[in-house]
Amino acid sequence: KEGTPPLSQMVDTQYPGTAVQRLKAVHERVKVIAADGTLNGPWEDVRRRILWAGGLRDLPDAVPGQGYTGHSFNDWNHVDLTTMNDETTDNQNDGSVKGIAVGNRLGNGIRVASLPELGSGGSWSTCAMGCNQDPPNDVAHIQFRSRIAFKLVWVPNENYDTFVLVDDDGTLLAKGKPSDGPDALPHLRERMMNYKIMEGSKYSSAADQIAKET
């Protein structure tokens, strides 16, 4: 079919659960929010823009497990934007991801919350715990066998009031400092714990560098 990318561009051989074209579309949207200044606005507006970039609907009133995204990027753990293909959307945790409930059925919620215009597969804000291991032992990489499109990491400065978005290799994609200050952000202990689970891994490098410069 004319216009269809070659197979090598559609399949990630290391993490075959990745929706590759959707991941690339997410990165294009991240470029938009990295440049338009919205990541420095009020936190709830910032969070909605992050959801949009990741291909997720803002569904704060949905039932948890049925598309609810009010927790996404709003605590220490649900900060991995994962783009998984249709074949792995219903994958469950068989116990390999430590600290996560066995089962961890996310398929229905992924289908409800995912924006279709970014391509096939789905998006979800998966749990980051375990990402400081090498290779990462988190929900994205183990349960869904997928790379992350990006991860939100709070910078360990005095107030933990700045965040970065980094890709699966830990490369900086965007950063923001919400305008309504620390009191409007997820609780300080959530932000501190978020950094703690990244500390010492490739995912903390960009945040560490920014902290040194401030």
Side-chain angles (χ1 to χ4, degrees):
K1 181 179 175 181
E2 189 174 349
T4 300
L7 189 62
S8 61
Q9 293 181 24
M10 297 175 67
V11 177
D12 185 316
T13 54
Q14 186 175 4
Y15 290 105
T18 309
V20 175
Q21 295 302 309
R22 189 175 182 88
L23 183 149
K24 291 179 178 178
V26 167
H27 282 172
E28 290 303 309
R29 284 193 170 185
V30 171
K31 290 178 183 177
V32 173
I33 65 173
D36 68 7
T38 58
L39 295 183
N40 297 316
W43 169 244
E44 271 307 311
D45 292 344
V46 170
R47 198 180 70 85
R48 291 186 190 100
R49 288 294 278 171
I50 293 172
L51 289 171
W52 172 82
L56 281 172
R57 294 183 170 93
D58 177 32
L59 299 175
D61 300 318
V63 176
Q66 298 298 320
Y68 175 73
T69 55
H71 64 308
S72 301
F73 308 104
N74 239 350
D75 63 13
W76 62 273
N77 197 19
H78 294 91
V79 294
D80 281 359
L81 193 288
T82 303
T83 53
M84 64 285 287
N85 60 33
D86 291 324
E87 290 73 28
T88 57
T89 298
D90 288 305
N91 280 16
Q92 298 179 40
N93 176 31
D94 61 5
S96 297
V97 188
K98 304 306 178 186
I100 301 298
V102 173
N104 196 33
R105 299 171 185 265
L106 300 174
N108 287 339
I110 293 168
R111 282 184 282 272
V112 170
S114 295
L115 296 170
E117 64 264 27
L118 271 70
S120 62
S123 297
W124 197 246
S125 55
T126 57
C127 294
M129 62 185 303
C131 70
N132 60 339
Q133 300 179 40
D134 187 15
N137 190 57
D138 52 32
V139 169
H141 295 89
I142 302 300
Q143 180 173 336
F144 292 106
R145 297 183 300 135
S146 174
R147 294 185 190 275
I148 59 165
F150 62 79
K151 180 191 299 288
L152 184 150
V153 186
W154 289 100
V155 173
N157 57 15
E158 183 178 0
N159 295 315
Y160 285 77
D161 59 359
T162 300
F163 67 87
V164 294
L165 302 181
V166 299
D167 68 10
D168 199 62
D169 294 320
T171 301
L172 180 66
L173 300 176
K175 67 177 180 177
K177 184 178 182 180
S179 61
D180 43 0
D183 289 344
L185 302 175
H187 196 280
L188 176 59
R189 65 174 172 264
E190 301 278 346
R191 305 190 317 265
M192 294 176 71
M193 178 62 79
N194 165 268
Y195 172 75
K196 190 70 176 175
I197 66 168
M198 320 286 179
E199 189 175 11
S201 76
K202 61 184 177 182
Y203 298 121
S204 73
S205 296
D208 292 336
Q209 185 60 41
I210 292 172
K212 289 178 184 176
E213 295 168 356
T214 56

